[in-house]
Amino acid sequence: MPRGTLRLKEPMARHTSWRVGGPAERFYEPASVADLAAFLAELPADEPLFWMGLGSNLLVRDGGMPGTVIMTSGLLNGLERVGEQRVRAEAGVACAKVARFAARAGLKGAEFLAGIPGTTGGALAMNAGAFGGETWTVVERVETLDRAGGQHERAPEDYRIGYRQVSGQPDEWFIAAHLRLERGDITESSRRIRDLLKRRSDTQPMGQASCGSVFRNPPGDFAARLIEVSGLKGRCIGRACVSQKHANFIVNTGGAMAADIENLIREVADTVERLHGVRLVPEVKIVGRTADDA
Ligand SMILES: Cc1cc2nc3c(=O)[nH]c(=O)nc-3n(C[C@H](O)[C@H](O)[C@H](O)COP(=O)(O)OP(=O)(O)OC[C@H]3O[C@@H](n4cnc5c(N)ncnc54)[C@H](O)[C@@H]3O)c2cc1C
């Protein structure tokens, strides 16, 4: 039996930063990569499978997730310096921890990760970025697991990597990243991290349940600007509202349903398109079944 915890009907609202989402049929927290590989090897080939980290970019619908959800956050948590300029981080390590670890090791280039409230695996899947830095610019290679539990090593060339999107190996998931960084200075990197976090708290609704930016920026413009000039700041459906502080954030003001958030996302995209002729594309991943389908 693979070690770890398997829960049935686990409420996804407990694991998403929007604090919404119906139950996962099965929710597995592996004890190690080897246990996860053994668990995958035993799964039926047609079992729906979904991997998650900190749920900071996920809108899970109210009917929940069919099949099995694999949780990595805080579980696959190896973090080590390899040689002079490389760091190996397992998928479940928080981005902020990687940023601090690299800075303390006197390595620069990973500071931008400090403000991304997700895991290394999520950052690889999303090509997460902030303040000019992007995850895959510092990735030398990754380790993956396939559906049958087989391990692989992949290079960036094995993926199509774009702005907040990564594709190319559909039936593999990330278990670790090898980052190649530059020699830096501990004091300088620590100051940069502090500056980035301050800029964030000045411009974003900290302490409110959100998923960060809901929409990708369209070419040559900013989603937040388009939403603001469309008069949508403060618009609410149920307890889901467009943030007053940052127009590209939707916040759960307490007790919102996933359907409220999804309806608000649609209304914002429709209004911006009607007024400005630009169709905003969600950056957040919308997954699972509606309450009607469940
Ligand atoms: C307040 C706030 C601020 C934010 N600011 C930023 C920002 O500045 N820049 C930015 O880019 N994002 C930002 N985000 C969004 C989010 O933090 C990132 O997208 C992050 O990379 C998601 O990581 P996660 O571990 O939470 O992934 P999850 O939300 O759990 O999952 C996101 C996607 O990644 C996939 N995934 C997760 N783990 C793996 C894995 N091991 N292997 C394969 N696929 C996997 C999931 O299946 C899903 O499709 C912000 C979010 C919040 C709440």
Side-chain angles (χ1 to χ4, degrees):
M1 248 323 258
R3 292 169 314 139
T5 311
L6 182 64
R7 298 177 212 276
L8 303 182
K9 304 222 173 305
E10 173 71 4
M12 289 292 283
R14 283 190 194 150
H15 304 283
T16 59
S17 61
W18 251 326
R19 302 278 166 252
V20 300
E25 266 170 22
R26 292 161 27 103
F27 187 88
Y28 177 57
E29 298 171 286
S32 69
V33 170
D35 290 295
L36 176 51
F39 177 87
L40 290 170
E42 288 175 4
L43 272 190
D46 59 352
E47 171 84 346
L49 195 56
F50 185 81
W51 285 48
M52 69 175 293
L54 272 157
S56 64
N57 207 43
L58 281 186
L59 178 57
V60 179
R61 295 191 175 103
D62 301 308
M65 299 292 290
T68 299
V69 172
I70 309 278
M71 166 60 115
T72 66
S73 170
L75 298 157
L76 306 184
N77 55 13
L79 180 59
E80 59 188 325
R81 185 175 186 166
V82 186
E84 266 300 295
Q85 281 172 247
R86 288 170 175 76
V87 168
R88 177 182 179 274
E90 288 188 351
V93 181
C95 291
K97 196 168 171 188
V98 177
R100 285 196 306 270
F101 179 85
R104 277 203 290 267
L107 296 173
K108 76 170 177 191
E111 296 88 345
F112 71 94
L113 288 170
I116 296 172
T119 59
T120 304
L124 289 170
M126 295 302 306
N127 194 18
F131 301 116
E134 256 188 1
T135 302
W136 280 85
T137 59
V138 291
V139 170
E140 184 174 59
R141 63 198 161 89
V142 292
E143 298 168 35
T144 66
L145 273 186
D146 64 29
R147 265 204 81 98
Q151 288 204 32
H152 307 265
E153 288 226 343
R154 301 269 177 214
E157 300 77 64
D158 296 323
Y159 297 90
R160 282 183 297 281
I161 298 160
Y163 164 56
R164 304 291 177 270
Q165 52 191 333
V166 177
S167 59
Q169 305 295 334
D171 278 331
E172 288 178 22
W173 292 269
F174 301 110
I175 49 173
H178 294 248
L179 310 181
R180 191 182 45 224
L181 302 166
E182 290 171 45
R183 277 200 193 86
D185 173 73
I186 300 179
T187 316
E188 181 52 37
S189 289
S190 305
R191 191 173 64 227
R192 196 161 146 66
I193 288 175
R194 271 199 310 279
D195 288 351
L196 294 181
L197 294 178
K198 163 122 187 21
R199 273 160 75 184
R200 240 163 219 283
S201 62
D202 288 348
T203 55
Q204 297 182 0
M206 310 301 284
Q208 279 187 294
S210 82
C211 243
S213 293
V214 172
F215 296 100
R216 294 186 201 153
N217 287 322
D221 209 337
F222 292 97
R225 189 195 75 80
L226 288 163
I227 297 167
E228 187 164 353
V229 297
S230 301
L232 289 161
K233 262 191 169 177
R235 166 80 185 125
C236 299
I237 293 184
R239 308 304 303 268
C241 299
V242 176
S243 163
Q244 292 282 2
K245 194 163 182 185
H246 190 310
N248 199 15
F249 278 48
I250 289 178
V251 293
N252 176 355
T253 60
M257 302 299 288
D260 298 331
I261 297 174
E262 193 169 2
N263 288 335
L264 189 53
I265 290 174
R266 198 171 307 118
E267 183 181 306
V268 168
D270 288 349
T271 307
V272 168
E273 185 171 28
R274 185 163 43 77
L275 297 178
H276 302 284
V278 178
R279 185 75 194 174
L280 294 177
V281 178
E283 173 181 324
V284 296
K285 302 283 182 189
I286 303 174
V287 297
R289 301 179 286 215
T290 62
D292 290 343
D293 292 343

